Amino acid sequence: MKELVIQNVFKDYKLANKEKFNALNDVNISFEKGELVSIVGESGSGKSTLMNLIGGLDSDYRGLISIGGKDLKSFKNKQLDDYRKKKIGFVFQSFNLISHLSVLENVTIPLTLSNIKESEKNKKAINLLTKLGLKDQIKKKPTQLSGGQKQRVAIARALINDPDIILADEPTGALDSTTTLQILDLLKDIADSGKLVIMVTHSERVAKISSRIVEISDGKIINDVVNQNYKRNTNSNNNLIDTNEKAKKDGHLSFFSSLKLSILNMWASKTKNFLMALGVSISLISMILMLSFGAGLTGYISTLAEDYSSPNYVTISKSDKDKDGNKIEESSSNPFIPKMFEENEILEIVDELNNTLSSNNNDFLINYQKENDNLTLGFSMMTMFSGTISYNTQDSKNESSIVYTYTTPPYYNENNFITKTGHISEENEIMLSYAALKLLNIEDPELAIGETVNLKINMNVFDTNITINKDVKISAIVDTSLFSNMLIMYVDYDFLNNCVKESQINEGISPTGLKPSLLFIKTDGKETTDLLNNYIKNYRKDLSGSIEEQLASMFSEMMSTFSIAMAIISGISLFVALIMITVVLYMSVSERTKEIGVLKSIGARKKDIHLIFSTESLLIGILSGLTGIIFSLILGGILSVILNSVLGFAPINMLWYYFIGALLISVTISVLAGLYPSSKAAKLDPVDALRHE
Ligand code: ADP
Ligand code: MG
């Protein structure tokens, strides 16, 4: 029985306009093992077409091709892949080695596709390469080899699976005459070892050396001559492959091998891949940093809100809403002056709260303007451009502007916010924050206490400007983490009120004084405090809590806006990243079309190609994720240092699950981005892919 039988084979190529081109026209021929066949014919006569049919790269033909008695047509996809992998070895004119793999890796690729153990396949390949005189080249890349060496590597790759048939399409077409002879010798050795070698050639000299010459013209065999002078060398040591080594395994490309192939390929274009990872990581970095900043701020604010409240006090101010919670359009021209309470408003609030208390069976009563009163008035305002404190010593004059003027909340003493040796300011006294103290050039707070400074505030009270200009004593320094770095002056409400009245009289205005903007109610404990706070929160939207609480709620409002903005920005940038990865992978598929063709010709299944490209997109995802994480950590660290030196605190809280999340997101989008390019690669037609230049 003949090894390869071809009967009545026709091949038509479909052309664009439903026309057909007849490339093979009733081909009838058969071959035996041990033959070294030269196929000759003019360019375009159908030689490659015939080789592709025999090699199982193209199944679209009519007629019979049978190998070892089996009809090729009856093979399912899987069997056809197996056939290419184990029965056939391809050798091409342009070598078609994979440039980013070493000589050894190129030769072991067919074994890798069968999931043969690393040590076993290397041993086998090194044996073979040694016999082909390439022992010293195994670590080189194909570009570092001469043409003859490259073709011997390609032949080694074709031989490694011990195929029965070697198909060589113009194997010496790109070689000089000396090298051509060496390669021919090698092919002859292979044929003499009992394999069927079919090669396409243009060279008459080459053809003459073979055992049989078949001539094709216009898709027909017009000549078939056996070379009577051909001497078969039957020396047994011609065996290049140790066939008895191990039965051919039935494995497939493993994820691990695919990972290795992908890493090698990515390493070959590392700059491109690193830049892409950097591009993708930018969206991850911004996401991680924004989340960390959000978490840092939220955490910071919530500890502040805790620090600055007292379980024994309810603080009330006016909010920017009406009772129903709708925002009031600001009519006041001066945003620095807070909303003030009229006397009747205070009475009304006290009444309402007392009713609430009694209806909740709480015995506590708010007493206002009674003997044992437990409601203190307060005031706070921005004095950003109008308040200064000057401190004159014998040889220097130091000035600090005051950004905020605040009547001391009564619980500040209780919270230990005030330096121990000092006392809460009273008549003709003020307290200062650390930052304000520093500007006065007094480093030690102990030395500041009792010092006289000049206080000057221009303020607008009920639409008239007045100026307070007074010498006052520093009674204490207020040390709070929230306000220490701000320029703040704390004064007694009554004292501030008297100063205002005095200035009004000096300027000939009726002495109205200030009205309070803060109400502090001292309760009998936490339970009452919570009850009142909850009532105000739910039923009096026109009121809000302390400055600190307002700050906290303002921040949380900002944070939620910020989160939405962040989500949108991250979403867009991740989408951009997704498109970017898709484009890069898609380009990589077209760049590697030939490689895909080669892989298919040596038996890679669709699944294997898919796996290789999917693995690569997975790696890009991991690489981008890690790049993002590393840069986030670096940038977060730098940002923390900067914020710490500017603000005195760094509201950056990097939670471990942001990093896991970023990695997952990046892997997910990369894998998604890889879906289309991978399946495109898997679907490439091997013949087209091999023709690709
Ligand atoms: P050879 O290898 O003998 O030079 P080929 O087998 O490559 O020739 O091609 C035989 C003929 O078939 C040529 O005329 C070529 O143009 C045509 N042909 C090859 N591949 C295709 C294809 N994919 N589509 C259409 N025509 C093709
Ligand atoms: Mg050809």
Side-chain angles (χ1 to χ4, degrees):
M1 187 183 60
K2 302 262 183 177
E3 172 68 6
L4 171 59
V5 177
I6 297 173
Q7 271 173 17
N8 309 110
V9 165
F10 294 81
K11 164 74 193 175
D12 293 329
Y13 286 110
K14 291 184 185 74
L15 300 178
N17 38 2
K18 282 196 177 169
E19 282 179 41
K20 287 175 181 172
F21 178 82
N22 181 239
L24 291 181
N25 191 1
D26 198 10
V27 174
N28 289 282
I29 193 165
S30 50
F31 305 96
E32 267 179 295
K33 282 188 178 175
E35 282 190 287
L36 176 63
V37 184
S38 277
I39 297 189
V40 297
E42 282 178 12
S43 180
S45 55
K47 307 181 295 292
S48 295
T49 302
L50 182 63
M51 299 288 265
N52 291 338
L53 294 186
I54 298 171
L57 288 176
D58 184 355
S59 314
D60 180 24
Y61 62 89
R62 283 172 289 138
L64 173 81
I65 300 177
S66 93
I67 315 271
K70 281 186 200 130
D71 182 2
L72 209 53
K73 265 261 148 77
S74 69
F75 285 8
K76 303 213 170 59
N77 276 342
K78 184 178 149 15
Q79 289 166 301
L80 211 56
D81 291 331
D82 251 24
Y83 168 73
R84 283 201 294 261
K85 200 193 295 186
K86 293 167 187 166
K87 279 276 193 180
I88 300 285
F90 274 100
V91 179
F92 306 92
Q93 175 178 359
S94 50
F95 323 122
N96 290 351
L97 298 174
I98 296 169
S99 58
H100 59 264
L101 299 183
S102 70
V103 165
L104 186 63
E105 285 154 353
N106 264 288
V107 174
T108 52
I109 271 264
L111 302 177
T112 305
L113 291 173
S114 296
N115 199 20
I116 307 271
K117 254 197 357 225
E118 187 82 12
S119 57
E120 194 183 322
K121 66 184 186 190
N122 283 350
K123 188 179 146 212
K124 211 170 170 182
I126 291 170
N127 260 340
L128 178 56
L129 284 164
T130 308
K131 283 177 189 167
L132 297 183
L134 292 164
K135 191 179 193 301
D136 300 331
Q137 323 292 334
I138 57 172
K139 290 214 170 91
K140 287 189 181 168
K141 292 279 160 69
T143 45
Q144 297 166 312
L145 300 179
S146 70
Q149 286 174 325
K150 281 187 206 167
Q151 198 57 301
R152 272 184 284 160
V153 174
I155 291 171
R157 181 179 64 190
L159 282 176
I160 193 79
N161 254 331
D162 193 22
D164 297 331
I165 303 172
I166 297 286
L167 299 173
D169 198 341
E170 303 192 37
T172 58
L175 302 177
D176 60 54
S177 52
T178 331
T179 327
T180 295
L181 287 178
Q182 289 168 3
I183 293 297
L184 277 176
D185 265 352
L186 183 54
L187 290 172
K188 183 174 180 310
D189 279 349
I190 295 167
D192 291 350
S193 75
K195 296 185 193 302
L196 167 59
V197 177
I198 304 176
M199 63 173 168
V200 170
T201 182
H202 276 301
S203 152
E204 254 178 64
R205 270 182 62 202
V206 171
K208 273 187 191 143
I209 296 169
S210 51
S211 71
R212 180 176 170 190
I213 301 170
V214 176
E215 195 178 342
I216 297 191
S217 175
D218 286 337
K220 273 184 183 297
I221 291 175
I222 54 165
N223 223 337
D224 185 354
V225 189
V226 173
N227 181 358
Q228 301 300 339
N229 299 328
Y230 186 82
K231 279 196 202 71
R232 189 168 165 179
N233 182 356
T234 46
N235 243 342
S236 61
N237 62 6
N238 277 342
N239 269 350
L240 290 160
I241 280 281
D242 316 314
T243 36
N244 56 348
E245 235 172 72
K246 226 169 212 183
K248 289 181 190 179
K249 280 205 186 151
D250 220 20
H252 291 298
L253 180 68
S254 67
F255 174 71
F256 184 73
S257 301
S258 168
L259 203 62
K260 197 181 155 197
L261 287 177
S262 301
I263 289 172
L264 287 170
N265 178 57
M266 284 176 71
W267 184 251
S269 36
K270 40 187 176 301
T271 315
K272 179 189 87 179
N273 284 310
F274 177 70
L275 285 177
M276 175 167 64
L278 200 62
V280 177
S281 71
I282 287 171
S283 55
L284 300 173
I285 294 169
S286 62
M287 203 176 74
I288 292 175
L289 287 184
M290 283 196 271
L291 283 170
S292 306
F293 193 62
L297 262 188
T298 313
Y300 180 69
I301 296 300
S302 69
T303 40
L304 281 186
E306 248 166 58
D307 281 359
Y308 289 86
S309 60
S310 162
N312 300 316
Y313 280 90
V314 174
T315 309
I316 300 173
S317 61
K318 283 191 173 181
S319 75
D320 55 356
K321 296 183 181 126
D322 65 14
K323 276 190 183 171
D324 303 324
N326 302 314
K327 267 220 152 71
I328 302 170
E329 290 303 319
E330 208 63 61
S331 58
S332 156
S333 55
N334 192 343
F336 300 127
I337 296 285
K339 295 192 187 67
M340 292 184 251
F341 287 105
E342 298 294 335
E343 188 68 15
N344 61 330
E345 285 178 312
I346 300 175
L347 291 170
E348 184 200 313
I349 291 167
V350 168
D351 261 2
E352 191 174 332
L353 292 181
N354 277 336
N355 282 340
T356 307
L357 287 164
S358 66
S359 67
N360 277 286
N361 298 323
N362 189 314
D363 296 334
F364 180 74
L365 254 189
I366 303 168
N367 298 307
Y368 175 51
Q369 294 178 331
K370 299 219 173 77
E371 228 164 288
N372 52 345
D373 97 23
N374 50 21
L375 189 149
T376 319
L377 303 178
F379 191 80
S380 71
M381 72 175 171
M382 295 287 254
T383 35
M384 205 180 291
F385 308 110
S386 60
T388 53
I389 288 173
S390 20
Y391 174 59
N392 300 320
T393 62
Q394 269 161 340
D395 38 39
S396 70
K397 180 176 160 61
N398 303 295
E399 211 170 72
S400 170
S401 64
I402 291 298
V403 169
Y404 205 75
T405 297
Y406 195 7
T407 63
T408 321
Y411 52 82
Y412 263 35
N413 215 2
E414 169 189 319
N415 284 15
N416 278 332
F417 286 157
I418 289 156
T419 43
K420 283 205 180 70
T421 49
H423 60 269
I424 291 220
S425 61
E426 292 160 17
E427 189 81 11
N428 289 320
E429 287 177 336
I430 61 166
M431 296 188 289
L432 291 175
S433 66
Y434 266 115
L437 191 67
K438 277 222 175 90
L439 286 185
L440 296 182
N441 254 338
I442 310 174
E443 281 295 330
D444 187 354
E446 298 296 334
L447 295 179
I449 294 167
E451 286 299 301
T452 302
V453 293
N454 180 258
L455 166 67
K456 202 171 190 179
I457 305 177
N458 289 309
M459 61 193 291
N460 184 300
V461 181
F462 307 121
D463 292 332
T464 52
N465 287 317
I466 59 155
T467 303
I468 298 170
N469 191 344
K470 236 182 155 54
D471 280 348
V472 290
K473 274 194 171 148
I474 300 174
S475 77
I477 303 305
V478 181
D479 180 17
T480 64
S481 54
L482 176 59
F483 291 144
S484 275
N485 294 293
M486 287 171 65
L487 301 170
I488 305 182
M489 174 183 76
Y490 299 84
V491 282
D492 178 66
Y493 177 75
D494 289 329
F495 171 53
L496 183 65
N497 209 3
N498 287 337
C499 289
V500 171
K501 281 182 187 161
E502 212 171 281
S503 304
Q504 285 173 320
I505 291 169
N506 281 346
E507 294 189 26
I509 311 165
S510 74
T512 56
L514 286 170
K515 292 201 165 127
S517 66
L518 288 166
L519 310 176
F520 302 104
I521 300 165
K522 186 172 184 2
T523 66
D524 60 352
K526 190 174 175 345
E527 202 181 316
T528 307
T529 305
D530 287 347
L531 175 70
L532 293 175
N533 274 334
N534 280 334
Y535 179 81
I536 292 167
K537 198 171 152 198
N538 294 326
Y539 301 104
R540 293 296 301 258
K541 304 270 196 244
D542 57 330
L543 302 179
S544 57
S546 65
I547 311 296
E548 295 83 2
E549 278 167 45
Q550 286 176 40
L551 213 67
S553 74
M554 189 181 80
F555 263 117
S556 71
E557 216 168 281
M558 266 166 54
M559 286 314 300
S560 65
T561 319
F562 180 72
S563 306
I564 294 168
M566 185 199 77
I568 293 171
I569 293 169
S570 307
I572 293 172
S573 61
L574 286 174
F575 186 69
V576 171
L578 185 126
I579 291 174
M580 186 165 73
I581 303 174
T582 311
V583 169
V584 171
L585 285 173
Y586 192 84
M587 272 161 43
S588 160
V589 170
S590 7
E591 269 168 32
R592 292 165 72 190
T593 300
K594 192 106 182 211
E595 181 188 330
I596 295 165
V598 174
L599 287 172
K600 288 200 163 178
S601 76
I602 56 183
R605 304 167 303 162
K606 275 188 185 173
K607 271 188 196 165
D608 300 332
I609 306 283
H610 209 293
L611 181 62
I612 291 172
F613 280 86
S614 305
T615 311
E616 202 160 314
S617 60
L618 178 74
L619 280 178
I620 288 169
I622 293 173
L623 186 68
S624 309
L626 292 180
T627 312
I629 289 171
I630 290 168
F631 276 92
S632 301
L633 284 170
I634 294 172
L635 287 176
I638 294 173
L639 219 61
S640 291
V641 171
I642 292 174
L643 288 175
N644 249 324
S645 71
V646 174
L647 298 176
F649 67 98
I652 290 184
N653 187 8
M654 295 191 155
L655 298 169
W656 61 271
Y657 51 79
Y658 297 163
F659 297 113
I660 305 286
L663 194 62
L664 285 179
I665 287 175
S666 133
V667 165
T668 308
I669 62 160
S670 300
V671 169
L672 280 179
L675 285 180
Y676 177 64
S678 307
S679 84
K680 188 183 151 74
K683 280 186 195 142
L684 278 181
D685 178 67
V687 176
D688 290 344
L690 281 170
R691 273 183 206 272
H692 187 88
E693 282 316 317

